[in-house]
Amino acid sequence: MRKLITLMFIFFLTTSCAKRIHKAVNNAKYSAYEAVGFEKRDLFKREVSNVKEDQEDTGEAFKDALTRLKEIYNVDGGDLEKQHSKLKDSLDDAKEEAAELSARIRKVDEVANDLFEEWSEEISEIKTSDLRSKSTKQLTQTKRRYRELEEQLNRSEKKMAPVLAKLNDQVLFLKHNLNAKAIGGLKEEQGKIQADIKSLINEVNESTRQAEAFIETL
């Protein structure tokens, strides 16, 4: 029991220390931006714009993978190795874009939370009740709109890993079975994965649309 308590105490100290370090690093980063005229609000808008652009790039990568997948199933006879190589390249691009998008979503969420925390603290400093009320209302509305965007971003992100896994399975299987007969036997399976990719692309497009609409409100 004593060891357990000691371990829990060490864990608490380590976690607490890590949080303090993270906050100190963030504060230093924001201070550096503010020194050159960039407030958290400016950074937030920029990060949402970056998310929108990364969504567009990710959507294009999955569209390309879908095109390559269709091509390999439509090849009659030769060029299977060439088509497989193109599909593999498209899969790698989609993996890279998906990873970058996930990192970007984490980043924009961090900036959003930091902005909302600062905004809330500054509202308490406003002495004029009418202005304080207006700022509180604006913060509430901004947080609500962002949470809606965040939910959509997370929905599209969650769909990426399963689709990438299925695409990866297809690439590996086809690598070992580059012949028309084997490919022909996968028509039902490839129909399912094409539907999954199309569904993901729709989610990504919706995320892009919502990000663009959200930017207009800032």
Side-chain angles (χ1 to χ4, degrees):
M1 179 62 73
R2 199 176 301 156
K3 287 183 178 179
L4 178 60
I5 293 174
T6 301
L7 287 172
M8 290 176 65
F9 181 67
I10 292 172
F11 175 77
F12 173 78
L13 285 179
T14 303
T15 304
S16 178
C17 183
K19 286 181 178 178
R20 286 199 297 270
I21 292 173
H22 179 72
K23 188 169 185 178
V25 170
N26 265 358
N27 289 338
K29 176 186 69 177
Y30 290 130
S31 294
Y33 276 117
E34 288 170 4
V36 293
F38 281 91
E39 299 292 335
K40 285 189 183 72
R41 188 181 188 86
D42 302 315
L43 295 173
F44 181 45
K45 186 172 183 178
R46 187 181 71 176
E47 287 305 325
V48 175
S49 296
N50 288 338
V51 161
K52 183 181 81 72
E53 291 175 5
D54 282 355
Q55 286 278 350
E56 291 171 344
D57 291 342
T58 301
E60 288 302 316
F62 277 101
K63 284 179 186 177
D64 186 65
L66 178 60
T67 299
R68 299 305 180 192
L69 189 64
K70 288 179 178 179
E71 287 175 351
I72 199 168
Y73 279 101
N74 289 330
V75 170
D76 185 16
D79 287 335
L80 284 174
E81 288 190 12
K82 182 179 179 181
Q83 295 300 329
H84 178 269
S85 178
K86 289 181 179 180
L87 176 60
K88 175 66 167 57
D89 289 343
S90 293
L91 170 62
D92 291 341
D93 288 343
K95 285 180 179 179
E96 184 177 344
E97 293 294 345
E100 290 180 3
L101 177 58
S102 292
R104 184 69 70 183
I105 290 172
R106 303 288 83 76
K107 188 172 182 180
V108 72
D109 191 49
E110 181 180 279
V111 176
N113 290 329
D114 290 341
L115 170 65
F116 297 150
E117 182 180 350
E118 179 186 77
W119 193 341
S120 181
E121 290 173 354
E122 290 177 345
I123 285 175
S124 65
E125 299 175 12
I126 300 175
K127 305 304 181 185
T128 307
S129 60
D130 184 47
L131 294 179
R132 186 169 60 249
S133 177
K134 286 180 179 179
S135 188
T136 299
K137 183 179 179 180
Q138 187 180 8
L139 171 58
T140 300
Q141 291 174 341
T142 304
K143 287 173 73 173
R144 176 182 55 78
R145 287 194 297 265
Y146 174 69
R147 295 311 171 200
E148 290 173 356
L149 171 61
E150 182 185 33
E151 288 176 7
Q152 177 59 40
L153 290 172
N154 289 335
R155 262 197 305 273
S156 61
E157 183 187 16
K158 285 179 181 177
K159 280 194 170 187
M160 290 191 295
V163 170
L164 286 171
K166 289 182 180 181
L167 262 175
N168 193 66
D169 288 349
Q170 290 271 315
V171 169
L172 291 176
F173 180 85
L174 291 170
K175 177 182 178 181
H176 306 141
N177 298 275
L178 280 177
N179 61 78
K181 184 177 180 181
I183 290 175
L186 289 175
K187 283 190 176 181
E188 183 178 348
E189 185 64 28
Q190 64 100 8
K192 292 178 182 177
I193 190 173
Q194 286 187 28
D196 288 342
I197 295 173
K198 289 177 182 177
S199 176
L200 171 59
I201 291 171
N202 288 337
E203 288 287 359
V204 170
N205 288 342
E206 176 60 20
S207 296
T208 303
R209 186 194 67 76
Q210 287 195 25
E212 190 169 3
F214 180 76
I215 291 169
E216 294 298 321
T217 69
L218 295 177

